Amino acid sequence: MKTADADSDAKSGEEGAAMQPYRLMALNNAWANARLYGALRGLSAAAFTAARPGFFPSLAATLNHIHEVDLYYLDALERGGAGRAVYDRPEIDDPAALGALQADADLRLAQFCRALDPAALAETRKTERADGAVTERVDALLLHLFQHQIHHRGQAHVQVQHAGIAPPQLDEFYLDYDRHPTAAPYHG
């Protein structure tokens, strides 16, 4: 015979499992950014802002774009109210300074995902767009944000190589088989 506590534990376990992909994607994002910025240690501002092949004209432009879009979606998810004003900031041309700001944003995203439950995923948030506000579900916003980060980090990867730096492996996070040693702390 099942007890109310057993039913509650089972439900809690199912909910936790349902939230785990979002939490892991946020942690993977933080780890991948840390690896990428780690590869940039010692890179001068001139090399960071130099013309590189890609959708954005430099490594600085690509990584600033990732950061400011993260800020935009974090603001929407956290109901911060800044909206498109997050884009009203100067481009950062120091990779260490931008890396520190990105790490702060990554921590905010990981904390947001850690607090998720099924009800929170189904909630909606308003996103301020150039042509007006659009209401989106939290789960869709998160999935879009993760995809955006991966997409542009891939472009940055090519730009890092163009700068003469060996690009770090960024996909050895989830599997036990080939998990990079630096990913272990992100798994608890």
Side-chain angles (χ1 to χ4, degrees):
M1 176 175 174
K2 283 185 162 181
T3 66
D5 287 341
D7 285 343
S8 177
D9 289 346
K11 183 177 179 186
S12 177
E14 290 169 12
E15 287 178 3
M19 299 303 103
Q20 189 68 352
Y22 294 94
R23 294 171 183 147
L24 284 173
M25 285 186 281
L27 293 173
N28 177 39
N29 174 67
W31 171 78
N33 283 333
R35 295 261 302 149
L36 186 61
Y37 278 99
L40 301 180
R41 281 191 194 104
L43 187 68
S44 69
F48 191 52
T49 58
R52 306 265 178 233
F55 183 79
F56 291 97
S58 70
L59 189 50
T62 301
L63 294 178
N64 271 278
H65 173 73
I66 292 170
H67 179 248
E68 63 190 14
V69 170
D70 283 4
L71 294 178
Y72 172 77
Y73 284 110
L74 280 166
D75 178 72
L77 290 164
E78 296 169 340
R79 294 183 173 123
R84 296 180 60 77
V86 301
Y87 296 114
D88 298 336
R89 63 177 195 80
E91 186 169 282
I92 299 164
D93 63 3
D94 174 15
L98 184 57
L101 292 171
Q102 184 64 59
D104 290 343
D106 293 342
L107 178 60
R108 283 173 56 196
L109 180 59
Q111 289 171 331
F112 181 86
C113 289
R114 185 174 184 205
L116 286 172
D117 60 30
L121 277 180
E123 290 176 358
T124 59
R125 299 291 191 272
K126 286 192 179 174
T127 57
E128 183 185 329
R129 302 297 179 173
D131 54 354
V134 176
T135 301
E136 304 278 3
R137 282 178 52 116
V138 167
D139 54 0
L141 287 170
L142 286 169
L143 292 172
H144 175 77
L145 179 55
F146 295 134
Q147 181 59 39
H148 180 266
Q149 293 161 340
I150 293 165
H151 170 70
H152 287 296
R153 237 186 341 260
Q155 294 170 350
H157 209 251
V158 171
Q159 292 176 323
V160 166
Q161 186 172 22
H162 187 266
I165 299 168
Q169 193 70 17
L170 300 178
D171 64 348
E172 297 174 337
F173 183 81
Y174 293 105
L175 301 179
D176 291 332
Y177 170 72
D178 69 348
R179 184 174 297 143
H180 194 277
T182 60
Y186 293 83
H187 285 273

